[in-house]
Amino acid sequence: VAAGDAGGLYLFESLPPSPLRSALEPHLPAFVTAATGSDWADQHSVQLAIGGAGTGAPAHYHKAAVNSLIYGQKRWWLWPPAHAQYSAMPVGEWVAAGGPEAAAGEGRPPLSCVQRAGDVLYLPDFWGHAVLNQKPSVAVATEILTQRLQFFFAG
């Protein structure tokens, strides 16, 4: 749990094996499970995100992920792997300080989109992203080990 920019709390938690995790796993589209291979269930993590408006995740990147928004609205800023970075600055502060414009001025213009309830966003491996809850939001995210990464890390 982290404090959000607007004084609200933001919960982003990996779920251990449990009835809740089992209930949330079906949000993955069939094409994702088919593309990740037969052992995908052992190679993914399911996360629950709950936060008020003005909260969210600062710029970061990781393996591929499927992000399903159950309730609310989020704005995403996305960078290809060559421009991905990590930041500790809360995303609301980053936006208020002109972060998207500054990134563009540095030659790293972000792609941007709005995710609404019912939308599913797929992030390929190592794509950078920052996410701002524009409305109170509830989401499920699943990071997956793609065949690309399985090949990359194979000895």
Side-chain angles (χ1 to χ4, degrees):
V1 177
D5 304 316
L9 295 178
Y10 180 62
L11 170 76
F12 192 91
E13 187 69 33
S14 291
L15 300 175
S18 65
L20 176 59
R21 178 178 164 150
S22 296
L24 294 175
E25 285 178 339
H27 86 100
L28 283 175
F31 76 87
V32 173
T33 56
T36 58
S38 60
D39 62 347
W40 76 272
D42 298 326
Q43 303 293 334
H44 75 287
S45 60
V46 178
Q47 295 128 3
L48 178 64
I50 303 172
T55 65
H60 65 286
Y61 58 92
H62 45 69
K63 62 187 173 181
V66 175
N67 299 272
S68 299
L69 188 58
I70 310 304
Y71 176 85
Q73 181 172 300
K74 295 175 177 271
R75 171 156 308 269
W76 290 75
W77 292 271
L78 309 158
W79 296 270
H83 297 296
Q85 65 179 15
Y86 273 89
S87 175
M89 180 183 286
V91 67
E93 287 181 29
W94 177 74
V95 172
E101 297 80 11
E106 297 166 357
R108 304 180 308 104
L111 300 172
S112 182
C113 66
V114 173
Q115 183 182 30
R116 293 178 177 82
D119 291 346
V120 176
L121 185 119
Y122 175 77
L123 284 171
D125 293 315
F126 306 121
W127 270 69
H129 52 286
V131 187
L132 177 71
N133 291 327
Q134 293 182 310
K135 296 179 179 178
S137 298
V138 177
V140 178
T142 300
E143 292 182 20
I144 54 176
L145 182 61
T146 61
Q147 289 182 345
R148 174 182 168 201
L149 279 185
Q150 291 175 29
F151 176 78
F152 182 74
F153 289 114

mmCIF file with all atom_site columns, all heavy atoms in Angstrom, residues 4-31:
data_model
loop_
_atom_site.group_PDB
_atom_site.id
_atom_site.type_symbol
_atom_site.label_atom_id
_atom_site.label_alt_id
_atom_site.label_comp_id
_atom_site.label_asym_id
_atom_site.label_entity_id
_atom_site.label_seq_id
_atom_site.pdbx_PDB_ins_code
_atom_site.Cartn_x
_atom_site.Cartn_y
_atom_site.Cartn_z
_atom_site.occupancy
_atom_site.B_iso_or_equiv
_atom_site.pdbx_formal_charge
_atom_site.auth_seq_id
_atom_site.auth_comp_id
_atom_site.auth_asym_id
_atom_site.auth_atom_id
_atom_site.pdbx_PDB_model_num
ATOM 1   N N   . GLY A 1 4  ? -1.044  7.945   -2.153  1.00 0.00 ? 4  GLY A N   1
ATOM 2   C CA  . GLY A 1 4  ? -1.200  8.579   -3.457  1.00 0.00 ? 4  GLY A CA  1
ATOM 3   C C   . GLY A 1 4  ? -0.957  10.066  -3.370  1.00 0.00 ? 4  GLY A C   1
ATOM 4   O O   . GLY A 1 4  ? -0.827  10.644  -2.290  1.00 0.00 ? 4  GLY A O   1
ATOM 5   N N   . ASP A 1 5  ? -0.911  10.710  -4.516  1.00 0.00 ? 5  ASP A N   1
ATOM 6   C CA  . ASP A 1 5  ? -0.648  12.139  -4.576  1.00 0.00 ? 5  ASP A CA  1
ATOM 7   C C   . ASP A 1 5  ? -1.762  12.956  -3.941  1.00 0.00 ? 5  ASP A C   1
ATOM 8   O O   . ASP A 1 5  ? -1.525  14.006  -3.389  1.00 0.00 ? 5  ASP A O   1
ATOM 9   C CB  . ASP A 1 5  ? -0.479  12.564  -6.038  1.00 0.00 ? 5  ASP A CB  1
ATOM 10  C CG  . ASP A 1 5  ? 0.623   11.760  -6.703  1.00 0.00 ? 5  ASP A CG  1
ATOM 11  O OD1 . ASP A 1 5  ? 1.671   11.577  -6.086  1.00 0.00 ? 5  ASP A OD1 1
ATOM 12  O OD2 . ASP A 1 5  ? 0.404   11.312  -7.837  1.00 0.00 ? 5  ASP A OD2 1
ATOM 13  N N   . ALA A 1 6  ? -2.972  12.492  -4.046  1.00 0.00 ? 6  ALA A N   1
ATOM 14  C CA  . ALA A 1 6  ? -4.111  13.238  -3.519  1.00 0.00 ? 6  ALA A CA  1
ATOM 15  C C   . ALA A 1 6  ? -4.410  12.833  -2.078  1.00 0.00 ? 6  ALA A C   1
ATOM 16  O O   . ALA A 1 6  ? -5.479  13.089  -1.567  1.00 0.00 ? 6  ALA A O   1
ATOM 17  C CB  . ALA A 1 6  ? -5.337  12.998  -4.400  1.00 0.00 ? 6  ALA A CB  1
ATOM 18  N N   . GLY A 1 7  ? -3.453  12.203  -1.405  1.00 0.00 ? 7  GLY A N   1
ATOM 19  C CA  . GLY A 1 7  ? -3.647  11.777  -0.031  1.00 0.00 ? 7  GLY A CA  1
ATOM 20  C C   . GLY A 1 7  ? -4.359  10.450  0.092   1.00 0.00 ? 7  GLY A C   1
ATOM 21  O O   . GLY A 1 7  ? -4.556  9.953   1.181   1.00 0.00 ? 7  GLY A O   1
ATOM 22  N N   . GLY A 1 8  ? -4.765  9.878   -1.024  1.00 0.00 ? 8  GLY A N   1
ATOM 23  C CA  . GLY A 1 8  ? -5.447  8.592   -1.011  1.00 0.00 ? 8  GLY A CA  1
ATOM 24  C C   . GLY A 1 8  ? -4.453  7.454   -0.968  1.00 0.00 ? 8  GLY A C   1
ATOM 25  O O   . GLY A 1 8  ? -3.253  7.638   -1.162  1.00 0.00 ? 8  GLY A O   1
ATOM 26  N N   . LEU A 1 9  ? -4.953  6.267   -0.729  1.00 0.00 ? 9  LEU A N   1
ATOM 27  C CA  . LEU A 1 9  ? -4.102  5.087   -0.696  1.00 0.00 ? 9  LEU A CA  1
ATOM 28  C C   . LEU A 1 9  ? -4.217  4.325   -2.009  1.00 0.00 ? 9  LEU A C   1
ATOM 29  O O   . LEU A 1 9  ? -5.269  4.320   -2.648  1.00 0.00 ? 9  LEU A O   1
ATOM 30  C CB  . LEU A 1 9  ? -4.492  4.176   0.464   1.00 0.00 ? 9  LEU A CB  1
ATOM 31  C CG  . LEU A 1 9  ? -4.282  4.749   1.858   1.00 0.00 ? 9  LEU A CG  1
ATOM 32  C CD1 . LEU A 1 9  ? -4.766  3.753   2.904   1.00 0.00 ? 9  LEU A CD1 1
ATOM 33  C CD2 . LEU A 1 9  ? -2.816  5.094   2.095   1.00 0.00 ? 9  LEU A CD2 1
ATOM 34  N N   . TYR A 1 10 ? -3.127  3.671   -2.366  1.00 0.00 ? 10 TYR A N   1
ATOM 35  C CA  . TYR A 1 10 ? -3.080  2.864   -3.580  1.00 0.00 ? 10 TYR A CA  1
ATOM 36  C C   . TYR A 1 10 ? -2.574  1.488   -3.189  1.00 0.00 ? 10 TYR A C   1
ATOM 37  O O   . TYR A 1 10 ? -1.460  1.358   -2.683  1.00 0.00 ? 10 TYR A O   1
ATOM 38  C CB  . TYR A 1 10 ? -2.155  3.520   -4.602  1.00 0.00 ? 10 TYR A CB  1
ATOM 39  C CG  . TYR A 1 10 ? -2.044  2.760   -5.912  1.00 0.00 ? 10 TYR A CG  1
ATOM 40  C CD1 . TYR A 1 10 ? -3.162  2.565   -6.719  1.00 0.00 ? 10 TYR A CD1 1
ATOM 41  C CD2 . TYR A 1 10 ? -0.833  2.261   -6.346  1.00 0.00 ? 10 TYR A CD2 1
ATOM 42  C CE1 . TYR A 1 10 ? -3.065  1.889   -7.914  1.00 0.00 ? 10 TYR A CE1 1
ATOM 43  C CE2 . TYR A 1 10 ? -0.721  1.581   -7.543  1.00 0.00 ? 10 TYR A CE2 1
ATOM 44  C CZ  . TYR A 1 10 ? -1.839  1.398   -8.335  1.00 0.00 ? 10 TYR A CZ  1
ATOM 45  O OH  . TYR A 1 10 ? -1.746  0.732   -9.519  1.00 0.00 ? 10 TYR A OH  1
ATOM 46  N N   . LEU A 1 11 ? -3.400  0.481   -3.395  1.00 0.00 ? 11 LEU A N   1
ATOM 47  C CA  . LEU A 1 11 ? -3.031  -0.902  -3.105  1.00 0.00 ? 11 LEU A CA  1
ATOM 48  C C   . LEU A 1 11 ? -2.685  -1.584  -4.415  1.00 0.00 ? 11 LEU A C   1
ATOM 49  O O   . LEU A 1 11 ? -3.480  -1.573  -5.354  1.00 0.00 ? 11 LEU A O   1
ATOM 50  C CB  . LEU A 1 11 ? -4.196  -1.637  -2.436  1.00 0.00 ? 11 LEU A CB  1
ATOM 51  C CG  . LEU A 1 11 ? -4.031  -3.157  -2.304  1.00 0.00 ? 11 LEU A CG  1
ATOM 52  C CD1 . LEU A 1 11 ? -3.073  -3.468  -1.177  1.00 0.00 ? 11 LEU A CD1 1
ATOM 53  C CD2 . LEU A 1 11 ? -5.369  -3.823  -2.082  1.00 0.00 ? 11 LEU A CD2 1
ATOM 54  N N   . PHE A 1 12 ? -1.493  -2.154  -4.481  1.00 0.00 ? 12 PHE A N   1
ATOM 55  C CA  . PHE A 1 12 ? -1.095  -2.965  -5.628  1.00 0.00 ? 12 PHE A CA  1
ATOM 56  C C   . PHE A 1 12 ? -0.395  -4.169  -5.030  1.00 0.00 ? 12 PHE A C   1
ATOM 57  O O   . PHE A 1 12 ? 0.721   -4.064  -4.530  1.00 0.00 ? 12 PHE A O   1
ATOM 58  C CB  . PHE A 1 12 ? -0.145  -2.185  -6.548  1.00 0.00 ? 12 PHE A CB  1
ATOM 59  C CG  . PHE A 1 12 ? 0.063   -2.873  -7.872  1.00 0.00 ? 12 PHE A CG  1
ATOM 60  C CD1 . PHE A 1 12 ? -0.766  -2.587  -8.943  1.00 0.00 ? 12 PHE A CD1 1
ATOM 61  C CD2 . PHE A 1 12 ? 1.066   -3.808  -8.042  1.00 0.00 ? 12 PHE A CD2 1
ATOM 62  C CE1 . PHE A 1 12 ? -0.587  -3.214  -10.165 1.00 0.00 ? 12 PHE A CE1 1
ATOM 63  C CE2 . PHE A 1 12 ? 1.251   -4.442  -9.253  1.00 0.00 ? 12 PHE A CE2 1
ATOM 64  C CZ  . PHE A 1 12 ? 0.427   -4.141  -10.318 1.00 0.00 ? 12 PHE A CZ  1
ATOM 65  N N   . GLU A 1 13 ? -1.071  -5.303  -5.032  1.00 0.00 ? 13 GLU A N   1
ATOM 66  C CA  . GLU A 1 13 ? -0.598  -6.460  -4.276  1.00 0.00 ? 13 GLU A CA  1
ATOM 67  C C   . GLU A 1 13 ? -0.610  -7.722  -5.121  1.00 0.00 ? 13 GLU A C   1
ATOM 68  O O   . GLU A 1 13 ? -1.614  -8.049  -5.754  1.00 0.00 ? 13 GLU A O   1
ATOM 69  C CB  . GLU A 1 13 ? -1.504  -6.644  -3.058  1.00 0.00 ? 13 GLU A CB  1
ATOM 70  C CG  . GLU A 1 13 ? -1.060  -7.699  -2.095  1.00 0.00 ? 13 GLU A CG  1
ATOM 71  C CD  . GLU A 1 13 ? 0.215   -7.345  -1.352  1.00 0.00 ? 13 GLU A CD  1
ATOM 72  O OE1 . GLU A 1 13 ? 0.443   -6.157  -1.081  1.00 0.00 ? 13 GLU A OE1 1
ATOM 73  O OE2 . GLU A 1 13 ? 0.988   -8.270  -1.058  1.00 0.00 ? 13 GLU A OE2 1
ATOM 74  N N   . SER A 1 14 ? 0.521   -8.451  -5.125  1.00 0.00 ? 14 SER A N   1
ATOM 75  C CA  . SER A 1 14 ? 0.558   -9.774  -5.750  1.00 0.00 ? 14 SER A CA  1
ATOM 76  C C   . SER A 1 14 ? -0.203  -10.741 -4.856  1.00 0.00 ? 14 SER A C   1
ATOM 77  O O   . SER A 1 14 ? -0.013  -10.746 -3.643  1.00 0.00 ? 14 SER A O   1
ATOM 78  C CB  . SER A 1 14 ? 2.001   -10.253 -5.916  1.00 0.00 ? 14 SER A CB  1
ATOM 79  O OG  . SER A 1 14 ? 2.653   -9.480  -6.889  1.00 0.00 ? 14 SER A OG  1
ATOM 80  N N   . LEU A 1 15 ? -1.055  -11.532 -5.471  1.00 0.00 ? 15 LEU A N   1
ATOM 81  C CA  . LEU A 1 15 ? -1.906  -12.436 -4.702  1.00 0.00 ? 15 LEU A CA  1
ATOM 82  C C   . LEU A 1 15 ? -1.293  -13.830 -4.619  1.00 0.00 ? 15 LEU A C   1
ATOM 83  O O   . LEU A 1 15 ? -0.914  -14.396 -5.647  1.00 0.00 ? 15 LEU A O   1
ATOM 84  C CB  . LEU A 1 15 ? -3.282  -12.527 -5.358  1.00 0.00 ? 15 LEU A CB  1
ATOM 85  C CG  . LEU A 1 15 ? -4.058  -11.216 -5.462  1.00 0.00 ? 15 LEU A CG  1
ATOM 86  C CD1 . LEU A 1 15 ? -5.346  -11.428 -6.252  1.00 0.00 ? 15 LEU A CD1 1
ATOM 87  C CD2 . LEU A 1 15 ? -4.362  -10.661 -4.076  1.00 0.00 ? 15 LEU A CD2 1
ATOM 88  N N   . PRO A 1 16 ? -1.219  -14.390 -3.417  1.00 0.00 ? 16 PRO A N   1
ATOM 89  C CA  . PRO A 1 16 ? -0.765  -15.779 -3.293  1.00 0.00 ? 16 PRO A CA  1
ATOM 90  C C   . PRO A 1 16 ? -1.868  -16.714 -3.776  1.00 0.00 ? 16 PRO A C   1
ATOM 91  O O   . PRO A 1 16 ? -3.021  -16.282 -3.952  1.00 0.00 ? 16 PRO A O   1
ATOM 92  C CB  . PRO A 1 16 ? -0.543  -15.924 -1.777  1.00 0.00 ? 16 PRO A CB  1
ATOM 93  C CG  . PRO A 1 16 ? -1.514  -14.961 -1.175  1.00 0.00 ? 16 PRO A CG  1
ATOM 94  C CD  . PRO A 1 16 ? -1.590  -13.804 -2.141  1.00 0.00 ? 16 PRO A CD  1
ATOM 95  N N   . PRO A 1 17 ? -1.546  -17.985 -3.996  1.00 0.00 ? 17 PRO A N   1
ATOM 96  C CA  . PRO A 1 17 ? -2.614  -18.933 -4.369  1.00 0.00 ? 17 PRO A CA  1
ATOM 97  C C   . PRO A 1 17 ? -3.744  -18.858 -3.332  1.00 0.00 ? 17 PRO A C   1
ATOM 98  O O   . PRO A 1 17 ? -3.505  -18.946 -2.127  1.00 0.00 ? 17 PRO A O   1
ATOM 99  C CB  . PRO A 1 17 ? -1.909  -20.290 -4.333  1.00 0.00 ? 17 PRO A CB  1
ATOM 100 C CG  . PRO A 1 17 ? -0.473  -19.956 -4.618  1.00 0.00 ? 17 PRO A CG  1
ATOM 101 C CD  . PRO A 1 17 ? -0.233  -18.617 -3.937  1.00 0.00 ? 17 PRO A CD  1
ATOM 102 N N   . SER A 1 18 ? -4.947  -18.625 -3.813  1.00 0.00 ? 18 SER A N   1
ATOM 103 C CA  . SER A 1 18 ? -6.095  -18.444 -2.925  1.00 0.00 ? 18 SER A CA  1
ATOM 104 C C   . SER A 1 18 ? -7.366  -18.482 -3.764  1.00 0.00 ? 18 SER A C   1
ATOM 105 O O   . SER A 1 18 ? -7.315  -18.393 -4.996  1.00 0.00 ? 18 SER A O   1
ATOM 106 C CB  . SER A 1 18 ? -6.004  -17.091 -2.210  1.00 0.00 ? 18 SER A CB  1
ATOM 107 O OG  . SER A 1 18 ? -6.116  -16.042 -3.165  1.00 0.00 ? 18 SER A OG  1
ATOM 108 N N   . PRO A 1 19 ? -8.524  -18.586 -3.120  1.00 0.00 ? 19 PRO A N   1
ATOM 109 C CA  . PRO A 1 19 ? -9.781  -18.528 -3.877  1.00 0.00 ? 19 PRO A CA  1
ATOM 110 C C   . PRO A 1 19 ? -9.921  -17.209 -4.647  1.00 0.00 ? 19 PRO A C   1
ATOM 111 O O   . PRO A 1 19 ? -10.429 -17.192 -5.761  1.00 0.00 ? 19 PRO A O   1
ATOM 112 C CB  . PRO A 1 19 ? -10.859 -18.673 -2.802  1.00 0.00 ? 19 PRO A CB  1
ATOM 113 C CG  . PRO A 1 19 ? -10.189 -19.463 -1.718  1.00 0.00 ? 19 PRO A CG  1
ATOM 114 C CD  . PRO A 1 19 ? -8.760  -18.965 -1.716  1.00 0.00 ? 19 PRO A CD  1
ATOM 115 N N   . LEU A 1 20 ? -9.455  -16.083 -4.062  1.00 0.00 ? 20 LEU A N   1
ATOM 116 C CA  . LEU A 1 20 ? -9.541  -14.799 -4.754  1.00 0.00 ? 20 LEU A CA  1
ATOM 117 C C   . LEU A 1 20 ? -8.697  -14.815 -6.023  1.00 0.00 ? 20 LEU A C   1
ATOM 118 O O   . LEU A 1 20 ? -9.159  -14.425 -7.101  1.00 0.00 ? 20 LEU A O   1
ATOM 119 C CB  . LEU A 1 20 ? -9.095  -13.654 -3.846  1.00 0.00 ? 20 LEU A CB  1
ATOM 120 C CG  . LEU A 1 20 ? -9.048  -12.267 -4.508  1.00 0.00 ? 20 LEU A CG  1
ATOM 121 C CD1 . LEU A 1 20 ? -10.419 -11.866 -5.046  1.00 0.00 ? 20 LEU A CD1 1
ATOM 122 C CD2 . LEU A 1 20 ? -8.519  -11.234 -3.519  1.00 0.00 ? 20 LEU A CD2 1
ATOM 123 N N   . ARG A 1 21 ? -7.467  -15.299 -5.913  1.00 0.00 ? 21 ARG A N   1
ATOM 124 C CA  . ARG A 1 21 ? -6.607  -15.376 -7.098  1.00 0.00 ? 21 ARG A CA  1
ATOM 125 C C   . ARG A 1 21 ? -7.240  -16.271 -8.164  1.00 0.00 ? 21 ARG A C   1
ATOM 126 O O   . ARG A 1 21 ? -7.255  -15.922 -9.345  1.00 0.00 ? 21 ARG A O   1
ATOM 127 C CB  . ARG A 1 21 ? -5.218  -15.891 -6.719  1.00 0.00 ? 21 ARG A CB  1
ATOM 128 C CG  . ARG A 1 21 ? -4.308  -16.033 -7.918  1.00 0.00 ? 21 ARG A CG  1
ATOM 129 C CD  . ARG A 1 21 ? -2.927  -16.500 -7.515  1.00 0.00 ? 21 ARG A CD  1
ATOM 130 N NE  . ARG A 1 21 ? -2.213  -16.987 -8.680  1.00 0.00 ? 21 ARG A NE  1
ATOM 131 C CZ  . ARG A 1 21 ? -0.920  -16.932 -8.808  1.00 0.00 ? 21 ARG A CZ  1
ATOM 132 N NH1 . ARG A 1 21 ? -0.171  -16.411 -7.857  1.00 0.00 ? 21 ARG A NH1 1
ATOM 133 N NH2 . ARG A 1 21 ? -0.352  -17.405 -9.887  1.00 0.00 ? 21 ARG A NH2 1
ATOM 134 N N   . SER A 1 22 ? -7.766  -17.409 -7.766  1.00 0.00 ? 22 SER A N   1
ATOM 135 C CA  . SER A 1 22 ? -8.408  -18.321 -8.718  1.00 0.00 ? 22 SER A CA  1
ATOM 136 C C   . SER A 1 22 ? -9.594  -17.652 -9.409  1.00 0.00 ? 22 SER A C   1
ATOM 137 O O   . SER A 1 22 ? -9.823  -17.859 -10.598 1.00 0.00 ? 22 SER A O   1
ATOM 138 C CB  . SER A 1 22 ? -8.875  -19.594 -8.009  1.00 0.00 ? 22 SER A CB  1
ATOM 139 O OG  . SER A 1 22 ? -7.754  -20.301 -7.516  1.00 0.00 ? 22 SER A OG  1
ATOM 140 N N   . ALA A 1 23 ? -10.327 -16.830 -8.662  1.00 0.00 ? 23 ALA A N   1
ATOM 141 C CA  . ALA A 1 23 ? -11.476 -16.138 -9.249  1.00 0.00 ? 23 ALA A CA  1
ATOM 142 C C   . ALA A 1 23 ? -11.049 -15.059 -10.233 1.00 0.00 ? 23 ALA A C   1
ATOM 143 O O   . ALA A 1 23 ? -11.766 -14.769 -11.190 1.00 0.00 ? 23 ALA A O   1
ATOM 144 C CB  . ALA A 1 23 ? -12.334 -15.527 -8.143  1.00 0.00 ? 23 ALA A CB  1
ATOM 145 N N   . LEU A 1 24 ? -9.864  -14.460 -10.031 1.00 0.00 ? 24 LEU A N   1
ATOM 146 C CA  . LEU A 1 24 ? -9.405  -13.368 -10.888 1.00 0.00 ? 24 LEU A CA  1
ATOM 147 C C   . LEU A 1 24 ? -8.627  -13.848 -12.111 1.00 0.00 ? 24 LEU A C   1
ATOM 148 O O   . LEU A 1 24 ? -8.522  -13.132 -13.101 1.00 0.00 ? 24 LEU A O   1
ATOM 149 C CB  . LEU A 1 24 ? -8.542  -12.401 -10.081 1.00 0.00 ? 24 LEU A CB  1
ATOM 150 C CG  . LEU A 1 24 ? -9.268  -11.640 -8.974  1.00 0.00 ? 24 LEU A CG  1
ATOM 151 C CD1 . LEU A 1 24 ? -8.281  -10.802 -8.176  1.00 0.00 ? 24 LEU A CD1 1
ATOM 152 C CD2 . LEU A 1 24 ? -10.392 -10.780 -9.533  1.00 0.00 ? 24 LEU A CD2 1
ATOM 153 N N   . GLU A 1 25 ? -8.070  -15.049 -12.077 1.00 0.00 ? 25 GLU A N   1
ATOM 154 C CA  . GLU A 1 25 ? -7.255  -15.532 -13.188 1.00 0.00 ? 25 GLU A CA  1
ATOM 155 C C   . GLU A 1 25 ? -7.976  -15.580 -14.531 1.00 0.00 ? 25 GLU A C   1
ATOM 156 O O   . GLU A 1 25 ? -7.355  -15.349 -15.557 1.00 0.00 ? 25 GLU A O   1
ATOM 157 C CB  . GLU A 1 25 ? -6.657  -16.897 -12.853 1.00 0.00 ? 25 GLU A CB  1
ATOM 158 C CG  . GLU A 1 25 ? -5.512  -16.787 -11.882 1.00 0.00 ? 25 GLU A CG  1
ATOM 159 C CD  . GLU A 1 25 ? -4.913  -18.119 -11.486 1.00 0.00 ? 25 GLU A CD  1
ATOM 160 O OE1 . GLU A 1 25 ? -5.582  -19.164 -11.619 1.00 0.00 ? 25 GLU A OE1 1
ATOM 161 O OE2 . GLU A 1 25 ? -3.762  -18.103 -11.035 1.00 0.00 ? 25 GLU A OE2 1
ATOM 162 N N   . PRO A 1 26 ? -9.285  -15.838 -14.591 1.00 0.00 ? 26 PRO A N   1
ATOM 163 C CA  . PRO A 1 26 ? -9.941  -15.909 -15.903 1.00 0.00 ? 26 PRO A CA  1
ATOM 164 C C   . PRO A 1 26 ? -9.948  -14.614 -16.700 1.00 0.00 ? 26 PRO A C   1
ATOM 165 O O   . PRO A 1 26 ? -10.362 -14.605 -17.841 1.00 0.00 ? 26 PRO A O   1
ATOM 166 C CB  . PRO A 1 26 ? -11.373 -16.343 -15.565 1.00 0.00 ? 26 PRO A CB  1
ATOM 167 C CG  . PRO A 1 26 ? -11.258 -17.046 -14.264 1.00 0.00 ? 26 PRO A CG  1
ATOM 168 C CD  . PRO A 1 26 ? -10.159 -16.314 -13.527 1.00 0.00 ? 26 PRO A CD  1
ATOM 169 N N   . HIS A 1 27 ? -9.464  -13.495 -16.144 1.00 0.00 ? 27 HIS A N   1
ATOM 170 C CA  . HIS A 1 27 ? -9.442  -12.255 -16.922 1.00 0.00 ? 27 HIS A CA  1
ATOM 171 C C   . HIS A 1 27 ? -8.461  -12.342 -18.088 1.00 0.00 ? 27 HIS A C   1
ATOM 172 O O   . HIS A 1 27 ? -8.522  -11.533 -19.009 1.00 0.00 ? 27 HIS A O   1
ATOM 173 C CB  . HIS A 1 27 ? -9.116  -11.049 -16.025 1.00 0.00 ? 27 HIS A CB  1
ATOM 174 C CG  . HIS A 1 27 ? -7.662  -10.794 -15.836 1.00 0.00 ? 27 HIS A CG  1
ATOM 175 N ND1 . HIS A 1 27 ? -6.981  -9.823  -16.552 1.00 0.00 ? 27 HIS A ND1 1
ATOM 176 C CD2 . HIS A 1 27 ? -6.745  -11.378 -15.047 1.00 0.00 ? 27 HIS A CD2 1
ATOM 177 C CE1 . HIS A 1 27 ? -5.717  -9.817  -16.185 1.00 0.00 ? 27 HIS A CE1 1
ATOM 178 N NE2 . HIS A 1 27 ? -5.550  -10.752 -15.272 1.00 0.00 ? 27 HIS A NE2 1
ATOM 179 N N   . LEU A 1 28 ? -7.575  -13.342 -18.083 1.00 0.00 ? 28 LEU A N   1
ATOM 180 C CA  . LEU A 1 28 ? -6.618  -13.494 -19.186 1.00 0.00 ? 28 LEU A CA  1
ATOM 181 C C   . LEU A 1 28 ? -7.319  -14.002 -20.440 1.00 0.00 ? 28 LEU A C   1
ATOM 182 O O   . LEU A 1 28 ? -7.968  -15.036 -20.415 1.00 0.00 ? 28 LEU A O   1
ATOM 183 C CB  . LEU A 1 28 ? -5.518  -14.494 -18.812 1.00 0.00 ? 28 LEU A CB  1
ATOM 184 C CG  . LEU A 1 28 ? -4.444  -14.009 -17.879 1.00 0.00 ? 28 LEU A CG  1
ATOM 185 C CD1 . LEU A 1 28 ? -3.508  -15.159 -17.504 1.00 0.00 ? 28 LEU A CD1 1
ATOM 186 C CD2 . LEU A 1 28 ? -3.648  -12.877 -18.492 1.00 0.00 ? 28 LEU A CD2 1
ATOM 187 N N   . PRO A 1 29 ? -7.187  -13.286 -21.559 1.00 0.00 ? 29 PRO A N   1
ATOM 188 C CA  . PRO A 1 29 ? -7.761  -13.789 -22.809 1.00 0.00 ? 29 PRO A CA  1
ATOM 189 C C   . PRO A 1 29 ? -7.095  -15.097 -23.234 1.00 0.00 ? 29 PRO A C   1
ATOM 190 O O   . PRO A 1 29 ? -5.925  -15.341 -22.938 1.00 0.00 ? 29 PRO A O   1
ATOM 191 C CB  . PRO A 1 29 ? -7.456  -12.676 -23.813 1.00 0.00 ? 29 PRO A CB  1
ATOM 192 C CG  . PRO A 1 29 ? -7.166  -11.467 -22.989 1.00 0.00 ? 29 PRO A CG  1
ATOM 193 C CD  . PRO A 1 29 ? -6.585  -11.976 -21.701 1.00 0.00 ? 29 PRO A CD  1
ATOM 194 N N   . ALA A 1 30 ? -7.820  -15.937 -23.947 1.00 0.00 ? 30 ALA A N   1
ATOM 195 C CA  . ALA A 1 30 ? -7.304  -17.247 -24.363 1.00 0.00 ? 30 ALA A CA  1
ATOM 196 C C   . ALA A 1 30 ? -6.032  -17.129 -25.202 1.00 0.00 ? 30 ALA A C   1
ATOM 197 O O   . ALA A 1 30 ? -5.143  -17.971 -25.096 1.00 0.00 ? 30 ALA A O   1
ATOM 198 C CB  . ALA A 1 30 ? -8.377  -18.013 -25.124 1.00 0.00 ? 30 ALA A CB  1
ATOM 199 N N   . PHE A 1 31 ? -5.908  -16.079 -26.025 1.00 0.00 ? 31 PHE A N   1
ATOM 200 C CA  . PHE A 1 31 ? -4.706  -15.961 -26.852 1.00 0.00 ? 31 PHE A CA  1
ATOM 201 C C   . PHE A 1 31 ? -3.457  -15.791 -26.010 1.00 0.00 ? 31 PHE A C   1
ATOM 202 O O   . PHE A 1 31 ? -2.365  -16.177 -26.420 1.00 0.00 ? 31 PHE A O   1
ATOM 203 C CB  . PHE A 1 31 ? -4.834  -14.824 -27.883 1.00 0.00 ? 31 PHE A CB  1
ATOM 204 C CG  . PHE A 1 31 ? -4.662  -13.440 -27.311 1.00 0.00 ? 31 PHE A CG  1
ATOM 205 C CD1 . PHE A 1 31 ? -3.402  -12.871 -27.186 1.00 0.00 ? 31 PHE A CD1 1
ATOM 206 C CD2 . PHE A 1 31 ? -5.760  -12.706 -26.919 1.00 0.00 ? 31 PHE A CD2 1
ATOM 207 C CE1 . PHE A 1 31 ? -3.253  -11.595 -26.672 1.00 0.00 ? 31 PHE A CE1 1
ATOM 208 C CE2 . PHE A 1 31 ? -5.625  -11.428 -26.401 1.00 0.00 ? 31 PHE A CE2 1
ATOM 209 C CZ  . PHE A 1 31 ? -4.352  -10.870 -26.271 1.00 0.00 ? 31 PHE A CZ  1
#
